[in-house]
């Protein structure tokens, strides 16, 4: 058989096939309509899915609010050379980022969420409830970082949540971001309070030790003066300016020709204090008993730090508003369904029904079930 004859036969077969299909066009149309109706029933009864999206980045100084002020004041008071605004922002956002990805945080959020409790009531068995929660954690609530290889200019962290209504998606996603933020802020505040309290306790102890040291020094000084006074009384030394042999005063005898300063001479030693005489020693004792204790410079430095840190502690113990993130785009209100795509489902259903109708007609024709 020549090629022309084969082509002619193929043409005849194709025409016959078209004739058969055209003859059964009503059956094919009914099949297409039937499947379109089935697709429509599914499209209008299936659970809808909507998705809200958001993007967050590192916070601004204004986002940190009171927490930034407390950290900066604390660093200034203690003289922390390593404190910078950039390091604080980086540390806070790093904690927030890690928490966003945490499955435990996601579960904690849903377990206290009214939306989750209401949705969970639709599932009767424990296994179905567990599957519902697993889908929420793994599929519905997603947190991703952009691929810098594909988009080098991308910044921030992307979040999305899918649910059956647009409002639910937006509310739940907002709620999750706020929940994680509050947890991070509370942890940061707790750590800061612990460091601050330890610093105050340490400084308080230092102040007490310095005060005790000054009090002991004064006590020893008074004891030395009293002992010297008793010795001076016993020795009959009334006045340190009295002459020895009628020519030289006692201090001059002790200082010698070199004229050594009094504080460097033997008269400053408790052993030789009696040589100053009763009158001088009694005056010293009277003044020391009346005068307030003069503490060391370190004591007053510690006291000043404490007076500045204690107000910070009181402010830190109060509730504070602080954000550990900044929205590049806040959770949106979705305006287009993810699923079901009703128009597409209707078209697919009709096309599939038509194809299956054609196949059914051709099978019947091949099997000889109907005449041409």
């Amino acid at each position: 058989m020549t090629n022309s004859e084969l082509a002619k036969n193929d043409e005849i077969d194709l025409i016959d096939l078209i004739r058969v299909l055209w003859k059964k066009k009503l059956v094919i149309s009914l099949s297409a309509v039937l499947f379109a109706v089935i697709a429509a029933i599914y499209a209008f009864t299936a659970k809808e899915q909507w998705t809200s999206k958001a993007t967050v980045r590192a916070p601004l100084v204004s986002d940190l609010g009171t927490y930034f002020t407390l950290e900066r004041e604390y660093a200034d008071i203690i003289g922390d050379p390593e404190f910078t605004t950039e390091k604080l922002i980086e540390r806070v956002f790093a904690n927030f980022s890690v928490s966003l990805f945490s499955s435990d945080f996601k579960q904690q959020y849903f377990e206290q969420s009214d939306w989750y409790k209401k949705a969970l009531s639709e599932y009767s068995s424990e296994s179905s409830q567990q599957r519902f929660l697993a889908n929420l954690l793994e599929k519905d609530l997603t947190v991703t970082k952009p691929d810098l290889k594909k988009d080098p200019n991308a910044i921030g962290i992307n979040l999305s949540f899918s649910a059956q209504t647009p409002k639910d998606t937006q509310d739940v996603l907002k709620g999750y971001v706020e929940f994680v933020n509050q947890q991070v802020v509370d942890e940061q505040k707790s750590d800061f309070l612990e460091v601050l309290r330890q610093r105050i306790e340490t400084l308080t102890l230092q102040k007490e030790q310095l005060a005790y040291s000054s009090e002991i020094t004064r006590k020893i000084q008074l004891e030395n003066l009293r002992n010297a006074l008793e010795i001076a009384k016993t020795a009959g030394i009334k006045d340190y300016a009295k002459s020895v042999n009628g020519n030289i005063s006692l201090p001059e005898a002790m200082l010698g020709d070199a004229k050594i300063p009094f504080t460097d001479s033997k008269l400053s030693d408790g052993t030789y204090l009696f040589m100053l005489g009763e009158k001088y020693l009694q005056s010293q004792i009277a003044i020391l008993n009346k005068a307030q204790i003069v503490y060391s410079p370190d004591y007053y430095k510690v006291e000043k730090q404490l007076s500045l840190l204690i107000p910070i502690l009181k402010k830190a113990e109060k509730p504070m508003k602080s954000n550990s993130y900044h929205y590049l785009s806040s959770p949106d209100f979705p305006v287009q369904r993810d699923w079901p795509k009703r128009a597409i489902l209707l078209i697919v259903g009709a096309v599939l029904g038509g194809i299956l109708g054609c196949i059914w007609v051709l099978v019947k024709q091949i099997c000889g079930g109907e005449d041409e």
Side-chain angles (χ1 to χ4, degrees), residues 36 46 95 133 158 162 187 195 215 218 226 236 256 264 322 334 349 370:
N95 292 338
L133 178 60
N158 300 318
S162 300
E187 289 178 2
V195 171
E215 290 168 2
R218 174 176 173 162
R226 290 190 184 104
D264 294 334
S322 180
E370 293 186 18

Side-chain angles (χ1 to χ4, degrees), residues 35-277:
F35 276 84
V37 170
I38 294 172
I41 292 172
Y42 171 77
F44 285 93
T45 58
K47 290 183 177 180
E48 295 182 355
Q49 179 174 298
W50 303 76
T51 300
S52 177
K53 298 178 180 179
T55 303
V56 296
R57 52 153 288 179
L60 305 176
V61 172
S62 57
D63 295 318
L64 292 175
T66 305
Y67 180 71
F68 169 76
T69 304
L70 295 175
E71 284 269 15
R72 185 190 61 190
E73 289 179 355
Y74 174 75
D76 290 342
I77 291 169
I78 67 171
D80 184 3
E82 297 183 0
F83 175 83
T84 63
T85 302
E86 291 76 16
K87 285 183 178 180
L88 177 61
I89 290 175
E90 182 180 353
R91 170 163 56 87
V92 171
F93 188 63
N95 292 338
F96 178 75
S97 302
V98 171
S99 300
L100 275 182
F101 284 92
S102 170
S103 295
D104 289 342
F105 270 71
K106 289 181 181 180
Q107 184 168 345
Q108 290 173 23
Y109 167 67
F110 283 119
E111 287 176 348
Q112 57 85 51
S113 166
D114 292 336
W115 174 87
Y116 173 74
K117 293 173 183 176
K118 181 180 178 181
L120 196 64
S121 63
E122 299 178 7
Y123 300 88
S124 55
S125 65
E126 184 177 350
S127 59
S128 61
Q129 292 178 352
Q130 291 295 332
R131 285 194 298 272
F132 173 60
L133 178 60
N135 285 331
L136 284 177
L137 301 181
E138 297 173 10
K139 298 178 181 179
D140 296 335
L141 180 56
T142 62
V143 183
T144 58
K145 287 185 177 180
D147 189 346
L148 296 180
K149 292 182 180 180
K150 296 180 180 179
D151 186 3
N153 297 323
I155 58 174
I157 298 175
N158 300 318
L159 301 98
S160 67
F161 179 69
S162 300
Q164 295 180 26
T165 68
K167 189 174 187 308
D168 284 344
T169 61
Q170 186 183 43
D171 291 345
V172 171
L173 191 56
K174 276 184 179 179
Y176 179 63
V177 173
E178 291 171 1
F179 175 82
V180 173
N181 175 69
Q182 192 58 53
Q183 298 298 315
V184 171
V185 169
D186 289 345
E187 289 178 2
Q188 292 284 143
K189 177 180 174 180
S190 178
D191 291 343
F192 175 72
L193 282 171
E194 183 63 25
V195 171
L196 182 56
R197 289 186 181 117
Q198 288 182 0
R199 171 70 68 166
I200 290 175
E201 288 177 4
T202 300
L203 290 174
T204 301
L205 180 60
Q206 289 180 1
K207 180 181 175 182
E208 292 174 354
Q209 290 174 337
L210 290 168
Y212 179 74
S213 176
S214 297
E215 290 168 2
I216 291 297
T217 300
R218 174 176 173 162
K219 185 177 180 180
I220 293 172
Q221 187 178 9
L222 279 170
E223 194 64 29
N224 287 336
L225 287 171
R226 290 190 184 104
N227 291 335
L229 179 59
E230 291 298 320
I231 296 172
K233 287 180 179 180
T234 304
I237 302 175
K238 299 292 183 181
D239 195 333
Y240 71 88
K242 214 168 202 179
S243 298
V244 178
N245 297 326
N247 297 319
I248 305 173
S249 67
L250 195 55
E252 291 176 335
M254 297 305 302
L255 292 173
D257 295 334
K259 301 298 180 182
I260 302 171
F262 178 76
T263 54
D264 294 334
S265 73
K266 291 184 178 181
L267 287 176
S268 65
D269 191 339
T271 307
Y272 298 95
L273 279 176
F274 71 92
M275 297 181 181
L276 295 173

Side-chain angles (χ1 to χ4, degrees), residues 321-370:
K321 178 63 177 176
S322 180
N323 288 331
S324 51
Y325 67 94
H326 181 79
Y327 273 127
L328 282 178
S329 60
S330 58
D332 61 350
F333 187 90
V335 295
Q336 186 173 2
R337 281 187 309 271
D338 302 327
W339 188 259
K341 303 290 187 181
R342 289 170 179 168
I344 294 175
L345 283 173
L346 290 174
I347 294 171
V348 170
V351 171
L352 180 61
I355 292 172
L356 290 176
C358 292
I359 293 173
W360 184 82
V361 169
L362 292 175
V363 170
K364 291 282 287 184
Q365 180 66 28
I366 292 171
C367 294
E370 293 186 18

Side-chain angles (χ1 to χ4, degrees), residues 272-285:
Y272 298 95
L273 279 176
F274 71 92
M275 297 181 181
L276 295 173
E278 288 183 40
K279 183 178 179 181
Y280 179 86
L281 292 171
Q282 285 175 342
S283 298
Q284 280 284 83
I285 292 171

